[in-house]
Amino acid sequence: MTHEKILVIDFGGQYNQLIARRVREHKIYCEVKSYKTPIEEIRNMNPKGIIFTGGPNSVYLDNSPRMDREIFELGVPILGICYGAQFLVYGLGGKIEEANDTAEFGRTDCEFDKKSLIFKNLKKKSVVWMSHNDHIATLPEGFRAVGHSEKCPYGAIENAEKKFYGVQFHPEVNHTEEGFAMLGNFLYNVCGCKGDWTMEEYAQTAIREIREKVGGGKALLALSGGVDSSVACKLLAKAIGSQLTCIFVDHGLMRKNEGDEVEEAFAGSGVNFVRVNAGERFLGKLKGVTEPEAKRKIIGEEFIRVFEEEAKKIGKVDFLVQGTIYPDVIESGLGDAAVIKSHHNVGGLPDYVDFKEIIEPLRMLFKDEVRKLGIALGLDEKLVWRQPFPGPGLAIRIIGDITPEKVTLLQDADAIFREEIAAAHLDRDINQYFAVLTNMRSVGVMGDGRTYDYTLALRGVSTTDFMTADFSRIPYDVLEKVSTRIVNEVKHINRIVYDITSKPPATIEWE
Ligand code: XMP
């Protein structure tokens, strides 16, 4: 990749992804690397600038994360944030001490020296987000203070000649009023970046690179219809066309019309598109099964079997394409940051497919960047903005045993819910919303008659990471309309409830 590049060195801080995101929002390509990365590797990456993240440790303790001091000899501008600033100071011979009564947490007023390149054209006084137990006690030679708070004389420091900067606060979080602009000043004024990172350009580069890598070889992709695999498919289609075969296993547990939408988007795109309509086969295996984990297991296993059968028909391929995205890479790769997501995707794939190498074309992108790439590639907006959908599909949204009738019933009800949420323009605000067919029936009255029919539950959550979630406050009039339509239009549902639990203690899905 020939883009100008910023390197974020991860010291275990909880905001490391956020820093990378902010840099990319400034249209500059950026990668996160562990502090353990060898200096040679860093030099070879030829970064325009380096950012040290925060971290939970005290830099003066024996086993705290530290980098080779050669990092200061590269001639590359450095911005240290929080722990990163302390490491900068410590590494260059200054002193860090426990702050005792000068520790600061949360919103703090700070005053800046506007002559410093990183505060140029910003307000003299603004609010920043502090979170530190330690503080800078003595500056290394060549440094001066360029920002302070009431308790913290070295809130921001610089060695302008060497292009080294440090801030005790977190410019990457929104609570720091001018944080985004401060980062921009570092990137543009100090590192001399131009901001050449656009999705269109990224797409062109990626296409070129994929072509070079694949040559005349064959590639295989498992298409789920989710955002990541759809964007990967579109990218590969543009790059290598009919050298790609994508297999879409339709397990019959997709949302209403979803299978057809996926087919429509890809069948004519120049790739070898294989749709396996395996609905009956999956439902056969699931017959009478009520236990949630058993359902998941059956679907996972069957998925692999179907995929395997199709892959065998194709024979040996050179490349297997996977839709891994950057947060997965960071979470499983760097190891020092806190949260580890438990991935529960259907069909862990590889071992049974005969291939040489894996291609992960989205490996460096965040979710919203994947969507932007999808748009840049001309992928249907419906697919680009698809909300997350669990691999086992509606099987885990039908409580109890699954029958074809129940699947249809849930598909219809869920489609109405989605239509109304979109009509109320809430579809981009609520992160995930869907209907659940409970296994409970209750008495109702319709016309003059008694009914004894199913209760349908509606669920809507707002979340950033799907690890925790809050139930969405969907306006009552929207809920009312959904409820009225569903009981009128979908037979055998006579009662609608709205799930008002958050995660934890509940999970997002019901099973
Ligand atoms: P839970 O129910 O664990 O869901 O709060 C968190 C997020 O993960 C999705 N989910 C799955 N995704 N395969 C997937 O690919 C699965 O088996 C699966 N189970 C849950 C869920 O929809 C939510 O977005």
Side-chain angles (χ1 to χ4, degrees):
M1 190 105 31
T2 52
H3 292 281
E4 50 188 21
K5 186 183 293 172
I6 292 291
L7 210 55
V8 171
I9 302 286
D10 178 22
F11 284 102
Q14 52 178 327
Y15 300 127
N16 60 21
Q17 283 202 38
L18 199 56
I19 298 170
R21 287 215 39 127
R22 294 289 180 249
V23 175
R24 291 185 185 197
E25 280 168 24
H26 276 294
K27 298 199 164 50
I28 296 159
Y29 181 72
C30 166
E31 283 182 32
V32 183
K33 291 271 169 189
S34 161
Y35 67 93
K36 294 176 190 148
T37 311
I39 284 292
E40 237 358 84
E41 198 180 323
I42 292 178
R43 187 173 304 157
N44 290 339
M45 292 176 82
N46 197 18
K48 297 273 288 186
I50 293 173
I51 300 179
F52 293 161
T53 74
N57 304 73
S58 286
V59 74
Y60 45 80
L61 296 181
D62 278 348
N63 35 18
S64 291
R66 289 191 206 115
M67 285 201 86
D68 193 327
R69 285 176 202 216
E70 261 187 75
I71 188 90
F72 303 120
E73 310 295 326
L74 297 179
V76 179
I78 296 177
L79 170 66
I81 295 176
C82 198
Y83 179 87
Q86 295 169 3
F87 171 69
L88 180 71
V89 166
Y90 180 86
L92 291 167
K95 214 166 160 199
I96 305 301
E97 282 173 355
E98 200 176 339
N100 295 322
D101 54 347
T102 59
E104 289 169 304
F105 296 94
R107 285 167 206 276
T108 310
D109 290 314
C110 233
E111 194 172 328
F112 302 102
D113 179 348
K114 291 179 63 175
K115 288 203 282 299
S116 167
L117 280 183
I118 54 169
F119 302 121
K120 202 173 151 187
N121 295 330
L122 306 182
K123 287 194 286 192
K124 184 152 185 58
K125 288 183 181 179
S126 61
V127 173
V128 304
W129 185 259
M130 291 280 192
S131 175
H132 64 109
N133 276 315
D134 289 346
H135 72 178
I136 300 168
T138 316
L139 290 182
E141 218 184 289
F143 276 79
R144 69 180 187 112
V146 289
H148 63 91
S149 67
E150 197 189 331
K151 286 187 187 169
C152 182
Y154 299 125
I157 56 165
E158 72 168 23
N159 179 337
E161 194 193 325
K162 295 226 142 129
K163 302 192 176 177
F164 292 160
Y165 292 81
V167 290
Q168 187 53 72
F169 54 89
H170 288 275
E172 69 276 22
V173 305
N174 285 330
H175 307 290
T176 297
E177 249 181 276
E178 301 215 279
F180 187 67
M182 290 169 186
L183 283 174
N185 277 349
F186 174 71
L187 300 168
Y188 291 104
N189 299 347
V190 179
C191 304
C193 290
K194 291 194 269 312
D196 62 357
W197 161 259
T198 65
M199 264 312 151
E200 283 72 17
E201 210 194 314
Y202 177 81
Q204 293 315 318
T205 314
I207 288 171
R208 216 172 35 237
E209 284 175 354
I210 293 167
R211 278 188 191 143
E212 272 166 27
K213 184 163 186 176
V214 175
K218 283 201 291 183
L220 177 66
L221 170 114
L223 183 70
S224 71
V227 184
D228 303 341
S229 69
S230 296
V231 173
C233 186
K234 191 80 181 174
L235 188 62
L236 267 288
K238 291 223 166 177
I240 58 167
S242 61
Q243 287 162 267
L244 174 73
T245 299
C246 58
I247 298 177
F248 166 47
V249 177
D250 185 347
H251 52 26
L253 296 156
M254 306 279 279
R255 286 167 288 206
K256 192 171 179 176
N257 299 332
E258 208 164 37
D260 295 344
E261 281 166 21
V262 173
E263 182 168 350
E264 244 167 61
F266 295 104
S269 66
V271 302
N272 296 312
F273 178 84
V274 182
R275 174 177 178 178
V276 192
N277 287 314
E280 278 181 28
R281 187 167 160 172
F282 276 86
L283 282 184
K285 292 273 175 192
L286 287 166
K287 201 164 180 212
V289 179
T290 57
E291 213 277 312
E293 281 310 307
K295 287 181 185 175
R296 280 175 186 275
K297 225 167 147 219
I298 290 169
I299 294 171
E301 276 164 15
E302 202 56 19
F303 185 92
I304 291 178
R305 221 157 279 145
V306 176
F307 191 86
E308 190 175 27
E309 284 167 21
E310 291 305 316
K312 268 201 192 119
K313 290 183 198 160
I314 299 163
K316 188 169 169 50
V317 292
D318 305 285
F319 301 93
L320 183 76
V321 186
Q322 296 203 310
T324 322
I325 68 172
Y326 204 37
D328 307 333
V329 176
I330 295 185
E331 271 163 21
S332 51
L334 300 178
D336 278 11
V339 194
I340 307 294
K341 192 162 62 183
S342 70
H343 293 273
H344 32 199
N345 268 328
V346 159
L349 293 183
D351 28 337
Y352 55 86
V353 182
D354 195 3
F355 69 100
K356 265 198 329 230
E357 217 179 314
I358 288 183
I359 297 185
E360 296 176 310
L362 313 178
R363 211 182 144 75
M364 288 297 156
L365 302 183
F366 289 104
K367 193 78 176 187
D368 62 318
E369 292 174 327
V370 172
R371 292 195 211 274
K372 279 191 199 142
L373 177 61
I375 302 266
L377 292 168
L379 188 67
D380 187 344
E381 291 232 348
K382 255 198 220 138
L383 289 176
V384 171
W385 284 103
R386 177 152 290 166
Q387 47 169 320
F389 187 62
L394 299 183
I396 55 165
R397 293 180 181 170
I398 294 172
I399 314 301
D401 70 321
I402 302 163
T403 63
E405 295 73 30
K406 285 184 185 172
V407 173
T408 310
L409 202 145
L410 180 58
Q411 280 175 332
D412 289 345
D414 183 74
I416 293 173
F417 185 32
R418 286 188 290 135
E419 256 175 59
E420 291 302 327
I421 291 291
H425 304 294
L426 295 171
D427 49 337
R428 302 250 169 118
D429 300 333
I430 305 176
N431 302 102
Q432 195 172 4
Y433 51 97
F434 52 88
V436 175
L437 186 63
T438 74
N439 203 21
M440 195 195 82
R441 290 194 292 167
S442 70
V443 174
V445 52
M446 264 185 140
D448 291 324
R450 173 190 190 274
T451 58
Y452 186 59
D453 278 327
Y454 288 111
T455 296
L456 184 90
L458 302 175
R459 179 96 165 121
V461 294
S462 62
T463 171
T464 49
D465 56 6
F466 297 88
M467 308 282 295
T468 61
D470 198 11
F471 76 87
S472 299
R473 273 57 171 175
I474 299 177
Y476 276 162
D477 52 346
V478 177
L479 287 174
E480 180 185 0
K481 191 145 184 224
V482 174
S483 159
T484 311
R485 275 196 62 194
I486 292 176
V487 287
N488 279 315
E489 295 173 36
V490 185
K491 261 204 178 131
H492 302 302
I493 293 179
N494 68 354
R495 191 178 296 273
I496 314 274
V497 296
Y498 185 58
D499 183 344
I500 52 165
T501 38
S502 291
K503 171 185 179 177
T507 51
I508 296 175
E509 303 289 346
W510 275 38
E511 286 197 336

